[in-house]
Amino acid sequence: MTPNSRIASILMASLLVLTACGRGGGDERAPEPNDRAVAKVQDQTIWASDVKREAVAQGLIGEGEPLDVTSDLFRRVLDEVIDQKLLAREAERRGLDNSPLAERRLQATRERILGDMLVETVVNGAISDQAVQTLYQEQLRLARTSEEIRVRLILSRTKPEADAVIGILGQGASFEAVAMERSVDEATRFSGGDLGYSTLDVMPQAYANALRDRPAGSTVGPFQTEGGWAVLRVEDRRKESPPTLEQARPQIVRYLTYEGVRRLLEQLRGKAKVDVMLSADGAAPAQEPASAPAAAPPSQVAQPAPAGTPAQ
């Protein structure tokens, strides 16, 4: 984390601490079962769950991953949480939390957190093992209809060069050796032109069209592509190997979460009255926000020099 991003993280979290301080942050009860007090700033306890939540917010660990209280990472994040509380207390002492702008920012932060908690409660709570398993089985069904193709490539700059490659291969030369000697594709030439296994739907259209019905062992081309003239060899064709359930689970959970949030927002927008106050062309009225800095008086604004006046 860069120094600027660390400071930004501390300042954002300090806003949250200000809210907690305003509600009496000296509660000694553990916020979670088996939680552990790890530090104290004046009369406010810092719990292990506070540190872990901050580590998750910074993307240092994933949701649900453990964080050892004896690790260097835990201690580093703990120091940041202490800094957050010290900054928040000082801001509170100076009365910075009492301004209308501070109240609006704190309210926006509170609403963001409450929205996240609603998603965790309503959406994430509805993502069952059965829902994950059902979607995984659907992916398996689709995967059984897909085929992976392993291909090697020799890429030439011109068609005459590609025709010469076909002639050399026709004399019995090894495709891998010719690829290493003549292919201009730096990404694959030193592996004998090996492109690995992939499905037709993710290949460039020119490759997919050329390979669609070609059996293993075929030499295809030359044909023109964006990078030059290609000659391909089909090494193997096989049914696509689907990921295991555990490999696919994170992606499935993300998809189900996205769909759950989308449906929830559709329901909420359907029940609520929402007025978007923009002009017909979509632009907001040309007006400075209340928090914008005041304009300089006319006497302080530099006036253009009369024509012909020498520059100072």
Side-chain angles (χ1 to χ4, degrees):
M1 175 179 292
T2 64
N4 287 341
S5 61
R6 179 177 183 271
I7 292 172
S9 174
I10 289 175
L11 292 178
M12 174 57 74
S14 297
L15 291 173
L16 308 185
V17 176
L18 273 172
T19 306
C21 290
R23 296 176 184 168
D27 196 343
E28 293 298 323
R29 294 173 299 177
E32 297 182 7
N34 301 318
D35 214 343
R36 174 179 172 181
V38 293
K40 202 162 191 176
V41 177
Q42 296 179 359
D43 63 342
Q44 190 173 15
T45 301
I46 298 176
W47 299 89
S49 60
D50 298 328
V51 179
K52 182 178 178 181
R53 185 168 56 249
E54 177 64 18
V56 171
Q58 294 186 22
L60 301 174
I61 62 173
E63 188 70 49
E65 290 184 20
L67 180 58
D68 187 352
V69 296
T70 65
S71 66
D72 292 339
L73 175 60
F74 185 94
R75 182 52 192 264
R76 177 162 64 84
V77 178
L78 171 61
D79 286 339
E80 293 181 10
V81 174
I82 291 172
D83 291 344
Q84 292 164 7
K85 292 189 182 296
L86 291 172
L87 287 170
R89 283 297 179 89
E90 179 62 16
E92 188 178 37
R93 186 186 69 79
R94 299 186 185 195
L96 299 180
D97 57 325
N98 295 324
S99 70
L101 178 58
E103 291 176 359
R104 289 182 62 190
R105 291 174 66 180
L106 288 169
Q107 178 64 20
T109 302
R110 181 174 182 271
E111 289 172 353
R112 190 178 304 115
I113 293 173
L114 287 174
D116 291 343
M117 292 177 68
L118 178 65
V119 169
E120 292 171 5
T121 302
V122 176
V123 177
N124 293 352
I127 299 177
S128 64
D129 286 340
Q130 181 59 46
V132 173
Q133 183 70 242
T134 299
L135 192 55
Y136 176 69
Q137 292 299 326
E138 176 65 15
Q139 287 186 337
L140 284 184
R141 186 185 66 80
L142 295 174
R144 291 191 186 101
T145 66
S146 299
E147 187 178 46
E148 293 180 317
I149 308 175
R150 183 182 178 188
V151 179
R152 291 187 185 272
L153 163 70
I154 299 174
L155 189 66
S156 303
R157 292 185 179 87
T158 66
K159 188 173 187 304
E161 291 177 356
D163 290 336
V165 165
I166 290 292
I168 296 171
L169 294 174
Q171 296 173 10
S174 163
F175 195 99
E176 295 93 320
V178 177
M180 294 183 69
E181 180 182 351
R182 290 180 171 254
S183 180
V184 297
D185 184 50
E186 297 295 335
T188 62
R189 62 176 297 190
F190 296 110
S191 64
D194 193 1
L195 294 174
Y197 282 96
S198 59
T199 54
L200 291 178
D201 60 315
V202 300
M203 291 182 181
Q205 193 60 49
Y207 286 63
N209 292 340
L211 292 169
R212 195 167 306 279
D213 299 317
R214 297 303 184 97
S218 299
T219 298
V220 183
F223 58 91
Q224 192 169 18
T225 71
E226 291 185 2
W229 288 82
V231 175
L232 303 177
R233 178 175 174 81
V234 182
E235 293 289 319
D236 187 28
R237 301 181 77 108
R238 69 183 185 187
K239 293 297 182 182
E240 183 179 5
S241 300
T244 65
L245 175 59
E246 290 311 306
Q247 290 171 334
R249 183 182 296 274
Q251 181 180 357
I252 293 174
V253 169
R254 283 194 297 271
Y255 173 78
L256 292 174
T257 301
Y258 171 82
E259 282 297 298
V261 171
R262 184 185 61 79
R263 288 194 296 268
L264 176 60
L265 286 173
E266 282 183 353
Q267 295 172 7
L268 295 176
R269 282 178 174 266
K271 297 176 183 177
K273 181 182 180 182
V274 179
D275 295 322
V276 180
M277 294 179 289
L278 296 174
S279 59
D281 61 359
Q287 183 178 353
E288 292 288 345
S291 59
S299 60
Q300 298 180 16
V301 177
Q303 300 296 324
T309 303
Q312 298 296 321

